[in-house]
Amino acid sequence: MRINIFGTILLFLGIMISCTSGNSKKINTEESAVNVRNKEAREDSLKYAEAESIRNSFKNKLTADYETPPVKSMEGADAADDPAIWVNPDDASQSLIIGTNKKMGLHIYDIYGNEKQFIEVGKINNAEAGYNLKYNGEKFDFIAGSNRSTHTLDVFKINKETLTLEKEALCKISSNVDDVYGFCTFYDKDKNAHYLYVNGKNGNIEQWQLMTDSTKLYGKLVRSFWVPSQPEGMVTDPVTNSLYVGVEEEAIYKFSALADADTIPTKIADSNTNNNPAISYDIEGLTIYRESDTKGFLIASIQGNFSYAIFDINEPHQYITSFTIQDGKYDGVEETDGIDMTSANLCNEFPKGIFVVQDGFNKDNGINVNQNFKIISAEKVLNFIK
Ligand code: CA
Ligand code: CA
Ligand code: CA
Ligand code: CA
Ligand code: CA
């Protein structure tokens, strides 16, 4: 009898110990992954739990339609950063999403997030697509990006037959900024000229023109200017020839994107003086959604409170509203770095295009996994505006 009771107590203790150790292991893994905050999030970003509760308080909520597989990286590393959408002019349903892996290269996905290719080409931080570059007797589309391994701006040709990127860069332009960081492309339709913009962490911005001769593609520095503190997200609007620069702790700056223009900016969406809590914490990725030449929106990812702010593309660039991406079929989105959006009719499911965002804390079935990108029908975003 005693032995039986003793045995029962031992068995009970054993179960208790195994349950406790199982639980604490799970909690520790969860906490450590959540506590490894995105290294590029601003220092005064809200703490994770606070940011999550602010995210939940926004009225406009949507859910992701698709997600990519987790990116390659050390477990829990801050590796995915900035997406680029290439709209295939021959068949929009065969468009591509390119995601930067700032530890090692570029991931290439279809519009549903299925991974098609990975090229190990260095620490590409930001990337964007360009179209119709004439070189060597042909016209091609490209993905270009800021490569922190080589301190260059790299241009990769899109092979339209195989829907892949050619791994050998067509050109690598050595930048003079302190550390190549934010990046975007610009096409000047009047001059038929292609440009690359890059910024450095100290605020320097360079504009490079893509030049060709019979033997090579190369860059020519046409303008250098600066913003007062750390920028990252940049986007250009070919309709108005404008460059928008997200200065993380301050505002969105607007410049003329033209190579011969002055470099005096106007400030829009000033997070310090607008007294708008929705944009108070770290303006990060920027993208433009154009419905027409007279109507469109500038969208910013607000990394520090897990939301996205929408502004009118027309002056004075009024703030319209914000939205967040909540748990649904896929996990919600936290601490987004880069974003990209297109208004192209890609397929029946995405007649108004897609919005693509980096997810700083990707979970699969409640378990923390490596970062990834989420894909959302643009119609869902437009619903918050009309
Ligand atoms: Ca990051
Ligand atoms: Ca981008
Ligand atoms: Ca970033
Ligand atoms: Ca997530
Ligand atoms: Ca997930």
Side-chain angles (χ1 to χ4, degrees):
M1 192 72 173
R2 260 184 204 169
I3 291 167
N4 278 349
I5 290 169
F6 186 62
T8 308
I9 291 170
L10 272 185
L11 184 66
F12 179 70
L13 279 175
I15 291 168
M16 285 291 288
I17 288 163
S18 70
C19 285
T20 314
S21 64
N23 271 343
S24 65
K25 216 185 238 168
K26 204 173 174 188
I27 288 164
N28 285 342
T29 317
E30 186 110 336
E31 276 180 355
S32 65
V34 167
N35 287 336
V36 179
R37 292 301 298 270
N38 188 331
K39 294 284 192 299
E40 284 177 8
R42 190 172 128 192
E43 276 178 13
D44 65 343
S45 288
L46 297 171
K47 290 199 170 62
Y48 187 95
E50 200 179 338
E52 197 173 34
S53 92
I54 292 209
R55 175 183 63 180
N56 296 339
S57 73
F58 279 99
K59 175 173 99 292
N60 298 325
K61 305 173 199 293
L62 51 74
T63 57
D65 294 310
Y66 294 95
E67 69 174 353
T68 69
V71 301
K72 288 173 206 278
S73 69
M74 300 275 286
E75 198 183 326
D78 181 23
D81 197 278
D82 181 47
I85 302 167
W86 171 68
V87 177
N88 186 333
D90 303 322
D91 178 356
S93 72
Q94 299 294 313
S95 297
L96 298 174
I97 295 167
I98 290 83
T100 68
N101 181 323
K102 62 189 172 193
K103 305 291 184 204
M104 60 179 102
L106 292 169
H107 296 271
I108 291 88
Y109 312 100
D110 67 18
I111 57 172
Y112 305 104
N114 301 303
E115 185 153 2
K116 316 290 279 180
Q117 187 192 13
F118 174 72
I119 54 173
E120 202 167 339
V121 287
K123 298 175 178 176
I124 309 272
N125 198 63
N126 283 192
E128 200 175 10
Y131 297 84
N132 287 321
L133 180 65
K134 268 191 206 149
Y135 168 56
N136 226 353
E138 65 168 325
K139 255 187 188 175
F140 62 87
D141 297 350
F142 62 89
I143 296 295
S146 47
N147 189 336
R148 294 173 78 181
S149 297
T150 47
H151 206 71
T152 52
L153 309 181
D154 296 3
V155 179
F156 300 96
K157 180 179 173 179
I158 296 170
N159 184 322
K160 288 184 183 171
E161 300 301 314
T162 58
L163 299 176
T164 56
L165 287 195
E166 293 188 357
K167 191 183 167 185
E168 198 65 44
L170 284 170
C171 76
K172 290 173 79 76
I173 299 165
S174 292
S175 167
N176 309 304
V177 304
D178 61 333
D179 185 6
V180 296
Y181 200 50
F183 175 89
C184 70
T185 58
F186 173 57
Y187 176 63
D188 181 339
K189 56 195 177 308
D190 299 318
K191 285 190 177 154
N192 186 27
H194 291 269
Y195 298 91
L196 308 179
Y197 275 103
V198 64
N199 64 46
K201 287 192 177 182
N202 67 1
N204 285 331
I205 300 172
E206 291 178 341
Q207 181 178 8
W208 292 83
Q209 184 172 0
L210 282 176
M211 311 287 290
T212 57
D213 63 24
S214 54
T215 59
K216 64 180 186 300
L217 184 69
Y218 63 100
K220 178 185 165 194
L221 183 63
V222 293
R223 244 181 3 154
S224 294
F225 48 104
W226 57 277
V227 289
S229 64
Q230 183 173 324
E232 183 168 352
M234 293 197 291
V235 66
T236 59
D237 183 359
V239 175
T240 59
N241 294 323
S242 303
L243 165 73
Y244 297 88
V245 182
V247 178
E248 298 192 357
E249 297 193 24
E250 203 191 329
I252 298 170
Y253 280 70
K254 181 187 181 185
F255 295 88
S256 167
L258 298 174
D260 51 5
D262 68 48
T263 55
I264 302 161
T266 50
K267 250 201 243 188
I268 61 169
D270 188 326
S271 64
N272 296 304
T273 60
N274 281 24
N275 200 20
N276 179 351
I279 59 165
S280 294
Y281 304 98
D282 196 0
I283 296 163
E284 190 82 15
L286 288 181
T287 189
I288 288 171
Y289 185 88
R290 270 223 173 260
E291 291 184 297
S292 69
D293 280 2
T294 54
K295 192 173 181 199
F297 310 99
L298 174 69
I299 301 183
S301 57
I302 310 300
Q303 192 172 31
N305 69 9
F306 306 172
S307 71
Y308 309 87
I310 307 176
F311 303 88
D312 192 340
I313 197 66
N314 297 315
E315 291 175 344
H317 304 292
Q318 199 167 351
Y319 168 78
I320 299 171
T321 189
S322 294
F323 66 95
T324 63
I325 305 169
Q326 306 277 333
D327 287 344
K329 184 174 179 191
Y330 302 100
D331 57 304
V333 181
E334 300 79 27
E335 213 161 77
T336 291
D337 273 295
I339 57 179
D340 200 3
M341 198 165 183
T342 177
S343 58
N345 176 356
L346 299 181
C347 59
N348 288 340
E349 198 173 350
F350 300 135
K352 305 262 183 187
I354 50 174
F355 179 53
V356 183
V357 305
Q358 181 257 11
D359 183 6
F361 291 90
N362 178 27
K363 290 187 180 201
D364 285 352
N365 303 315
I367 308 290
N368 292 299
V369 292
N370 285 348
Q371 297 177 337
N372 73 345
F373 299 92
K374 302 288 198 274
I375 298 151
I376 294 128
S377 172
E379 273 185 314
K380 290 183 175 175
V381 176
L382 295 178
N383 282 341
F384 300 136
I385 298 164
K386 283 161 184 165

